Amino acid sequence: MRVFDIERQEWGGSRRERLFHPDQYLDVPRQKTVRQQTGIVLAVAGLAFGIWALAWKDEPEPYREPAATGQDSSETTSGGTGDDVPPNGSPSQDTTFESSAALPEDYESFQDVAGYRVALPKGWERKSRSSQYGIDIVDYRSPDGTRRLQVFQVMETSPYSSLQAAQIEAEKLDGYEPVAMEEVPSAVGQAAEHEYRADEIAGELGGGGSRHVIDHRFEATDGERYALVAYGSEADGTEDERELVDTALLWFCPPGTQCDDPVG
């Protein structure tokens, strides 16, 4: 085999060929020795590479801090006591709302012909009149005529905006004196309350002295907004009107809705 010398740009002779392929000109024993030595070198190199690759693959990963588990977070929230405590540390409004569900003495649950359920003192008289919006306006009155609970549906978009509209008319009453006008907590939706005193009330006979009123407007489970308004004499305190509104609200179930009795 002749060899072309790239540097000299000429074909080399037999001596040049020996320089490029010296192993071809060795005798048979020496050629075998060269092949064996070459094989040994390749085997050793392959073994070294395999050991290095395995060592690199099995190298441990850097240490990382363990992350907090979901089980720890759950145990911390519940406190291990079995009590449901919301994140802010106070009991939920639903729990508080249901804790006083027992009817006061001489009260009863009443299913009105207008379709809603309410609770009020036994023996009260009922009168109704048509309304420009929603269900009829219904008045429940005590036998002696000194106390009244009014139920109706409101058309404003929120309980508070409805009270703002009603306050304009209340301010025109003789002896009007506001006590509170604010949004209040509710177990369902938005709610607001206007508490005030006045010497005259629409639909009430005069001469009874100052009147105490709690006008509570709220969003019910049907998404509609209703009003529960309690009227009474200022002379006997304010607790009876508060009880009247709170009990009616607790047992209120809107028309066309199935409601369980409040849990006591």
Side-chain angles (χ1 to χ4, degrees):
M1 176 180 179
R2 301 188 66 187
V3 178
F4 185 78
D5 190 337
I6 298 176
E7 182 178 356
R8 295 174 177 268
Q9 294 293 308
E10 63 181 12
W11 291 96
S14 58
R15 180 176 179 276
R16 192 68 176 172
E17 292 177 7
R18 291 188 183 93
L19 292 177
F20 276 85
H21 301 283
D23 53 337
Q24 294 183 2
Y25 296 91
L26 299 176
D27 55 19
V28 174
R30 293 179 65 183
Q31 290 182 13
K32 290 182 178 181
T33 301
V34 170
R35 294 192 188 97
Q36 290 176 355
Q37 290 176 351
T38 302
I40 292 173
V41 171
L42 293 176
V44 172
L47 180 61
F49 176 79
I51 294 174
W52 173 83
L54 290 174
W56 173 79
K57 181 178 181 181
D58 295 336
E59 183 179 355
E61 296 182 357
Y63 175 76
R64 293 183 176 89
E65 290 290 339
T69 63
Q71 182 178 1
D72 294 341
S73 300
S74 176
E75 291 175 355
T76 302
T77 302
S78 64
T81 63
D83 297 331
D84 293 330
V85 180
N88 60 8
S90 60
S92 65
Q93 290 180 356
D94 289 349
T95 303
T96 304
F97 191 75
E98 294 178 350
S99 64
S100 59
L103 280 170
E105 187 178 359
D106 296 331
Y107 273 70
E108 63 181 350
S109 175
F110 180 73
Q111 187 69 37
D112 195 274
V113 295
Y116 61 81
R117 182 191 69 185
V118 73
L120 66 156
K122 298 177 182 179
W124 282 31
E125 299 177 355
R126 178 191 186 276
K127 290 185 177 181
S128 66
R129 60 186 185 274
S130 61
S131 173
Q132 295 180 353
Y133 179 81
I135 63 175
D136 289 347
I137 299 173
V138 180
D139 288 296
Y140 304 97
R141 191 180 295 274
S142 64
D144 61 3
T146 60
R147 301 173 64 202
R148 177 165 59 114
L149 176 69
Q150 188 176 78
V151 182
F152 58 92
Q153 189 173 348
V154 300
M155 62 183 297
E156 288 79 10
T157 57
S158 72
Y160 190 79
S161 63
S162 180
L163 282 180
Q164 287 178 315
Q167 186 183 24
I168 297 174
E169 297 301 320
E171 290 174 344
K172 300 176 183 178
L173 299 173
D174 291 341
Y176 170 78
E177 181 185 350
V179 176
M181 172 78 169
E182 59 187 353
E183 293 184 332
V184 295
S186 173
V188 179
Q190 296 179 353
E193 201 168 84
H194 180 204
E195 184 177 1
Y196 62 94
R197 302 180 184 90
D199 294 335
E200 66 166 352
I201 298 293
E204 299 289 324
L205 296 177
S210 180
R211 311 292 290 174
H212 176 238
V213 182
I214 298 178
D215 187 344
H216 185 96
R217 307 195 180 194
F218 62 100
E219 187 176 54
T221 54
D222 62 348
E224 298 293 336
R225 289 155 296 283
Y226 299 86
L228 297 171
V229 190
Y231 302 88
S233 174
E234 174 69 15
D236 60 2
T238 61
E239 292 303 318
D240 48 355
E241 285 78 53
R242 173 56 60 191
E243 181 183 68
L244 192 59
V245 167
D246 289 350
T247 306
L249 178 64
L250 184 61
W251 285 81
F252 185 84
C253 183
T257 306
Q258 294 293 328
C259 305
D260 295 331
D261 290 347
V263 178

